[in-house]
Amino acid sequence: MELLKIALSKGRILSETIELFKKIQMDFSQVNEDSRKLFFDFEEYGTRVILAKPSDVPTYVEYGVADIGVAGKDVLLEDKKDVFELMDLNLAKCKMVVAIPKDKSDDMPIYRVATKYPQIAERHFVKKGVPVEIIKLHGSVELGPILGISDAIVDIVSTGSTLEKNHLKILEEICPISSRLIANQVSFRVKSRQIMTLMERLESIL
Ligand code: PRP
């Protein structure tokens, strides 16, 4: 049978994902991003693991080079792709928020917002009817208000320590975020037996 190709996100979520698969007797512990190897075959489980940047996982799945993938809801909301979202894996739980400097009042006007998530930020402020300028940054967005490039940020918060260390506070929660199992629309039909079996096993331990 053809291998089921699974795209996993590199970075801090990888170890949590490997732990999850271990619980369903799929041991991917040799998947190690330090090795620089980007795919790993596990004939014994009928799978190939592809390691990708988190924001690229939905793209690989949309184009079918990966049948399924594990992607953050933040990435899925920011960069909408034609993929099926199959289940919430409850991994890497955090929330998308608007944050402002601690010493500012909650009703201060917001003109500029720095974020890695311009689409999510844009949709949020349009929905509220607040016109803002969105400034796209690629990381360390907490610097925005410190350096004065923005009044607020839209970012994910997990432990809250990055906000704390940079004297920021949560103004509003936009939505909860966690990792999702996603599938290519054709693979979901063609490899339905393999994918459904995997989903049943994951459901049994979630
Ligand atoms: C994310 C996010 C925050 C931080 C929040 O950044 O953008 O900066 O984690 O986590 P905390 O609430 O537990 O402190 P990441 O570490 O992915 O790096 P980046 O800012 O360089 O993108």
Side-chain angles (χ1 to χ4, degrees), residues 12-13 16 88-96 156-159 175-180:
R12 56 163 113 182
I13 181 202
E16 269 188 71
D88 187 349
L89 297 174
N90 273 314
L91 296 178
K93 288 172 86 159
C94 52
K95 50 198 176 186
M96 186 67 67
I156 48 174
V157 173
S158 172
T159 61
C175 59
I177 300 290
S178 56
S179 295
R180 309 296 158 104

Side-chain angles (χ1 to χ4, degrees), residues 12 74 94-95 116-117 137-142 153-166:
R12 56 163 113 182
D74 52 337
C94 52
K95 50 198 176 186
K116 289 185 279 188
Y117 302 97
L137 295 175
H138 291 90
S140 307
V141 295
E142 294 81 5
I153 63 169
V154 164
D155 202 7
I156 48 174
V157 173
S158 172
T159 61
S161 82
T162 311
L163 286 189
E164 185 60 36
K165 289 202 177 111
N166 293 290

Side-chain angles (χ1 to χ4, degrees), residues 84-111:
F84 287 144
E85 193 177 311
L86 301 179
M87 58 193 288
D88 187 349
L89 297 174
N90 273 314
L91 296 178
K93 288 172 86 159
C94 52
K95 50 198 176 186
M96 186 67 67
V97 305
V98 181
I100 59 170
K102 263 188 183 166
D103 57 4
K104 292 279 160 63
S105 103
D106 287 5
D107 52 13
M108 69 150 201
I110 296 175
Y111 301 107

